[in-house]
Amino acid sequence: MQFACSVPTVSDRIAQMVVKQFIEPELDQIFLPDSYGYRPGKSALDAVGVTRKRCWKYEWVLEFDIKGLFDNLPHDLLLKAVLKHVGCKWAVLYIARWLTAPMEQDGRRIERDRGTPQGGVISPILSNLFMHYAFDLWMGRTHPDLPWCRYADDGLVHCRSEREAEAVKATLQERLTECGLEMHPTKTRIVYCKNGKRQGRYPNVTFDFLGYRFAPRRVRNAQDGSLFCGFAPAVSPSALKSMRSTVRDLDIARQTHRSLEDVAQELNPLIQGWIGYYGRYAPSQLEPMLRHVNLTLRRWVMRKFKRYARRKVAAGVLLERMAETCPELFAHWRIGMVGAFA
């Protein structure tokens, strides 16, 4: 029995991990190369990288999001795919039980005929199996000449014209409806990949994908160092906002009982992860996040040391000197992405 939100118990999660590890090697072999989500040996950065290259070649992108994918997968179609590819009877039995386990809400027993367990370890691979038939193979049959990329419920189809993108959008909506799913009405858009050579005027010239914003921006030519307007990825505004919010929630400025080394030990894993992921493309666009970290440290200095109270400039100068003399202290100082202190 699962609760109203359909969250698996601890024992369910352990059992799901056992089944996932058992079926994953076989299922992963049938998945197509452009399916990137929750797969061994593939990452979100791989998807961002291949999308970057395809935007150079194709002028248009259909950006689509599937509304409530994990909550709306029809059990009959999903189990049909499971039975086709999972030969182990006990694994099939457990998957069927997890899918159809009723919910209990306000003392009432509610039967379920769609959706995977929320937060379930088994859910991502089951959704990938479903989308393998609902979208991936379907694209190969109906639009074999158009490249696509999918990460779980987020996907992109590269097109040669706006008309072609509109046609793909219409047929894809029909296909998803056949499979019991629907496109998200506000997260599905047709985007013009504008750059220095593509001068058309269209309302949508940016899209966000996996934490990156693809947009017309200045790009440096790797061969001669010249600048030109390209359509390229950089950290998205929403990702920057999320990073700043994470730092803010740590409430570093009020932790004056701690040393700067302790603060660095808490912040560095976050900073390293952000730079490692969002710094792959256009790392200079991380400046607002790095500045926010530095200003947080400045507030900490002003609270901890009385002589720096209400002296923003002096506190900033102190940290700036520390970044020069002790660059190993913070992850961004260590690699030269110091950021501003004012």
Side-chain angles (χ1 to χ4, degrees), residues 14-308:
I14 295 173
Q16 287 183 23
M17 178 59 74
V18 172
V19 173
K20 173 185 176 292
Q21 292 176 340
F22 184 80
I23 67 176
E24 186 173 58
E26 186 174 355
L27 288 183
D28 196 68
Q29 292 181 16
I30 72 167
F31 295 154
L32 300 186
D34 283 312
S35 169
Y36 289 90
Y38 309 108
R39 294 184 59 189
K42 286 184 174 287
S43 70
L45 278 176
D46 292 335
V48 172
V50 75
T51 298
R52 172 174 168 263
K53 292 179 180 178
R54 287 170 178 170
C55 286
W56 298 342
K57 299 178 181 180
Y58 292 82
E59 293 189 19
W60 295 87
V61 167
L62 168 62
E63 171 197 15
F64 69 92
D65 178 275
I66 299 173
K67 186 177 180 181
L69 174 63
F70 291 97
D71 295 330
N72 292 299
L73 294 177
H75 291 169
D76 55 345
L77 296 178
L78 178 55
L79 286 173
K80 185 177 179 181
V82 169
L83 286 168
K84 180 175 180 179
H85 294 286
V86 179
C88 181
K89 292 184 179 180
W90 65 263
V92 173
L93 178 63
Y94 272 103
I95 291 171
R97 286 179 177 176
W98 289 321
L99 289 176
T100 59
M103 295 187 298
E104 193 171 280
Q105 185 175 18
D106 300 327
R108 295 182 295 110
R109 183 185 177 95
I110 302 175
E111 301 296 331
R112 300 167 58 234
D113 62 356
R114 59 182 54 240
T116 58
Q118 184 180 356
V121 178
I122 200 75
S123 295
I125 194 168
L126 292 180
S127 67
N128 264 344
L129 178 59
F130 188 92
M131 292 304 298
H132 175 70
Y133 285 99
F135 175 77
D136 302 356
L137 292 180
W138 175 82
M139 276 296 298
R141 293 194 306 269
T142 58
H143 305 285
D145 54 338
L146 297 182
W148 56 271
C149 173
R150 183 180 61 79
Y151 194 99
D153 55 352
D154 292 326
L156 304 168
V157 180
H158 298 266
C159 302
R160 290 158 295 210
S161 67
E162 184 178 22
R163 177 177 295 182
E164 186 173 56
E166 291 283 6
V168 173
K169 180 182 177 182
T171 57
L172 178 55
Q173 181 59 73
E174 292 176 2
R175 173 61 177 174
L176 293 177
T177 301
E178 292 174 1
C179 298
L181 301 173
E182 66 173 306
M183 287 182 181
H184 196 290
T186 60
K187 295 181 180 180
T188 299
R189 301 184 311 148
I190 293 174
V191 178
Y192 179 60
C193 302
K194 186 174 183 177
N195 60 25
K197 295 181 179 179
R198 301 168 183 164
Q199 295 296 319
R201 292 177 176 269
Y202 298 94
N204 298 325
V205 293
T206 69
F207 68 88
D208 289 0
F209 184 54
L210 301 176
Y212 275 85
R213 169 156 294 183
F214 287 75
R217 63 180 81 249
R218 278 191 171 186
V219 179
R220 188 173 297 278
N221 189 312
Q223 296 179 344
D224 59 17
S226 62
L227 293 175
F228 65 96
C229 180
F231 192 82
V235 58
S236 70
S238 60
L240 285 171
K241 181 178 179 180
S242 177
M243 286 183 267
R244 290 194 295 266
S245 178
T246 298
V247 173
R248 192 179 303 115
D249 290 344
L250 293 176
D251 204 16
I252 296 294
R254 296 182 181 276
Q255 299 181 31
T256 54
H257 61 286
R258 305 176 68 185
S259 68
L260 191 59
E261 289 76 11
D262 291 336
V263 173
Q265 193 171 7
E266 183 173 15
L267 282 175
N268 277 340
L270 293 172
I271 298 171
Q272 287 172 333
W274 291 333
I275 292 175
Y277 183 77
Y278 296 108
R280 174 71 66 86
Y281 302 105
S284 63
Q285 297 303 306
L286 284 171
E287 170 63 26
M289 182 273 289
L290 301 179
R291 181 173 182 270
H292 181 74
V293 171
N294 289 340
L295 294 184
T296 298
L297 296 176
R298 189 182 71 177
R299 287 193 294 273
W300 178 87
V301 169
M302 293 171 63
R303 283 177 174 269
K304 186 172 179 69
F305 304 107
K306 290 184 179 179
R307 64 180 178 276
Y308 290 107

